[in-house]
Amino acid sequence: QWRHYVDAWPGVEGVLAPPVALIYLRREDVAAQAVSLHAAEATGVWGFDGAPTTPPAPARFGDLAAVAACERRLRADDRAWRAFFARRGADPVAMAYEELVRDQPGAVERVARAVGLAPGAYTVPPPEPRENRARSEVAAAGLLADYRAYRADRPDPSDEA
C-alpha cells in the first residue's frame, strides 16, 4: 500500500532506485482485495494464522460502503505505484497475487531469477496454508458476492477520485 510507505518512510523514493530490483505484486481481482482489506481492518486479523495483529477498525464488518472505500484506496495506491515506476523508469517484476497463490514455488523462483540468484542459492519454502477464521467468515457471510452486487449499480471505483 503506497500510502503506508510514503507516510512511514518519506525517503522511500530515493531508496527504491536502481540498482534495486523491484517486485510489483498486485491483485487482478481488486474487488476481492477490497473485501480482504476490509475484513483485515474490521477484524484486526491480517495473516493466515488467524491471530489479530492490530486493533479492529471502527467500521462494522460487512459494511459495503466501507468495502467500496477500501477499493478506492487500493486503486489510488495502484496508480501511485505505477506513477512511481514511471518516474523512475523502472521495469519491475510484475506478478499477480493470484499467480503467487496458484504457484508459490514458481513465484519464488521467478523473483529469485529477477534478482540474480542462481538455482541452488535459495530454497523455496513450503506453501502457506490458505485458510483462517477471518477468511472463513468472509466466505460464510458471502461478503464478496454481496459486494459485487452492491457494485453492479454504482460507478466503477477507478472513475472516482
Side-chain angles (χ1 to χ4, degrees):
Q1 296 170 339
W2 177 256
R3 194 172 305 103
H4 169 76
Y5 291 103
V6 171
D7 291 347
W9 194 7
V12 70
E13 287 203 41
V15 174
L16 297 179
V20 173
L22 300 172
I23 312 300
Y24 177 44
L25 183 64
R26 60 175 174 67
R27 288 284 296 259
E28 291 173 346
D29 187 345
V30 181
Q33 183 182 11
V35 167
S36 179
L37 177 58
H38 168 71
E41 288 179 344
T43 64
V45 176
W46 293 83
F48 289 119
D49 63 2
T53 56
T54 61
R60 184 179 60 82
F61 180 81
D63 178 347
L64 299 176
V67 177
C70 287
E71 185 172 359
R72 286 190 300 276
R73 282 183 10 225
L74 290 165
R75 290 182 184 278
D77 286 348
D78 184 64
R79 287 189 302 272
W81 278 112
R82 289 174 189 258
F84 167 77
F85 297 139
R87 281 192 308 275
R88 293 288 182 207
D91 185 22
V93 175
M95 182 178 302
Y97 169 81
E98 291 83 354
E99 176 185 348
L100 175 63
V101 169
R102 187 174 47 253
D103 181 13
Q104 290 180 9
V108 169
E109 289 171 9
R110 188 169 159 220
V111 169
R113 279 193 313 271
V115 299
L117 292 177
Y122 62 93
T123 58
V124 177
E128 294 178 331
R130 293 188 174 96
E131 293 297 323
N132 73 18
R133 183 183 53 77
R135 298 321 183 263
S136 297
E137 288 173 7
V138 170
L143 187 54
L144 181 56
D146 290 349
Y147 180 62
R148 289 192 196 286
Y150 172 87
R151 289 289 296 113
D153 296 326
R154 288 166 176 76
D156 183 344
S158 63
D159 296 335
E160 299 175 16

